[in-house]
Amino acid sequence: MLRPLMPLHPVEQAQHDGTFVMRFDDWMMVYSHVLLRHRLPHESGWSHLRLQNSWTRDSCGGTPIPVQQPVLATLETWARNPQCRLVLEADADEVEIFLTLHQADARLKGKSTFPFEDQLRQIFVCVMDGVEGERLSIFDKKRIVRQRNGSSAASLLSRRRSVLLRTRLASPGTYAIIPSIWEPDLPGQVSVPFVLTLHVHCDAEKFLVDAPESEGWELPKCARNGGEILTDRRVSSVDIWEELLTL
């Protein structure tokens, strides 16, 4: 009640910041989900990189974790999923990272209503201990990075547009990042595009991302590189800036 009422006519932003208060019971009658945005600006030491790819018949291996039955994927089929590597060279003992795996916005299909569960795949992303230049050939849950508190560097398996993974990684170190969907098989002509957004809390000169074209990875066009897609797949995030994060 101490906040000024929001006027119906345009006002300067300094007069009102656009927030308002409502009873929780009223909120429950109108809304079912809350979407929160967490800004990780370059000015606060965060570096950003966005990669694009697609799951296809040849690059879809499923997710062999027993969170639901039956488990469709095997430890071997999982290795078909696209893989990229993160090489940390920061001076700090640990580096905080945010990984967000996005699939296409189901609102564009116009066939169902929010939360569009019939239009979305169950998606999952994890970070594993890796070796630079080595492709993982089998799913080994012991290689999933674990923090000191015992939590693992693996997202939820969720039928949502995006899943988020927040973790800390020892530096220096090399890690494999593998996004996947639940099913290990797709029909011949089906392609499921996705975007992997990486936020690293260290200087852009202190990490590299190895995203080979042979794995299907694509970088968005970068104005700071003449508007061309970078051909060197080992890139520092100094080349990709925050304006590229909008899907």
Side-chain angles (χ1 to χ4, degrees):
M1 291 303 180
L2 299 179
R3 301 187 64 84
L5 293 177
M6 184 181 297
L8 298 179
H9 55 83
V11 295
E12 295 293 333
Q13 185 175 1
Q15 294 180 260
H16 203 293
D17 61 6
T19 61
F20 64 94
V21 179
M22 65 186 301
R23 288 173 51 86
F24 183 68
D25 291 343
D26 296 335
W27 184 91
M28 290 289 291
M29 294 177 62
V30 180
Y31 301 106
S32 59
H33 292 71
V34 178
L35 304 179
L36 302 178
R37 181 184 181 188
H38 190 172
R39 285 185 54 80
L40 304 172
H42 181 73
E43 295 76 16
S44 298
W46 289 92
S47 300
H48 314 277
L49 186 67
R50 191 183 73 169
L51 298 168
Q52 301 172 172
N53 209 325
S54 297
W55 290 291
T56 66
R57 182 178 183 179
D58 297 326
S59 63
C60 176
T63 307
I65 55 176
V67 294
Q68 62 185 42
Q69 296 295 331
V71 178
L72 304 177
T74 67
L75 303 182
E76 292 76 19
T77 62
W78 170 86
R80 295 199 301 257
N81 288 299
Q83 302 181 24
C84 64
R85 276 152 292 283
L86 171 65
V87 183
L88 290 176
E89 300 170 351
D91 299 328
D93 293 336
E94 289 185 330
V95 175
E96 186 175 15
I97 70 166
F98 277 82
L99 274 173
T100 309
L101 177 61
H102 309 268
Q103 57 183 317
D105 191 341
R107 290 177 295 180
L108 301 177
K109 301 178 182 180
K111 297 181 180 179
S112 60
T113 58
F114 185 84
F116 315 110
E117 292 191 350
D118 61 325
Q119 301 294 317
L120 298 173
R121 306 273 178 173
Q122 296 183 81
I123 56 178
F124 175 80
V125 63
C126 65
V127 179
M128 293 187 165
D129 288 316
V131 177
E132 188 171 358
E134 175 185 324
R135 194 180 194 282
L136 301 184
S137 59
I138 193 170
F139 181 84
D140 181 358
K141 66 179 182 180
K142 294 181 180 179
R143 296 188 72 160
I144 296 179
V145 175
R146 290 192 173 275
Q147 298 186 40
R148 296 174 182 176
N149 62 6
S151 62
S152 61
S155 75
L156 295 174
L157 175 72
S158 179
R159 197 183 299 274
R160 291 291 183 265
R161 183 190 175 193
S162 303
V163 293
L164 172 68
L165 169 59
R166 177 183 182 181
T167 189
R168 292 180 178 272
L169 302 176
S171 179
T174 300
Y175 304 92
I177 302 173
I178 305 95
S180 61
I181 58 177
W182 177 247
E183 57 267 44
D185 298 298
L186 290 173
Q189 302 302 317
V190 172
S191 177
V192 181
F194 65 87
V195 172
L196 184 68
T197 304
L198 174 65
H199 305 71
V200 185
H201 201 197
C202 73
D203 188 85
E205 303 289 344
K206 296 296 185 178
F207 75 92
L208 294 170
V209 174
D210 184 8
E213 288 182 339
S214 59
E215 297 278 346
W217 295 104
E218 297 180 6
L219 290 171
K221 292 184 178 181
C222 178
R224 294 183 179 269
N225 200 51
E228 298 296 329
I229 294 178
L230 302 179
T231 56
D232 181 3
R233 313 316 288 180
R234 279 182 62 87
V235 297
S236 170
S237 67
V238 71
D239 298 312
I240 308 293
W241 295 88
E242 186 174 8
E243 65 266 19
L244 298 176
L245 296 180
T246 302
L247 289 176

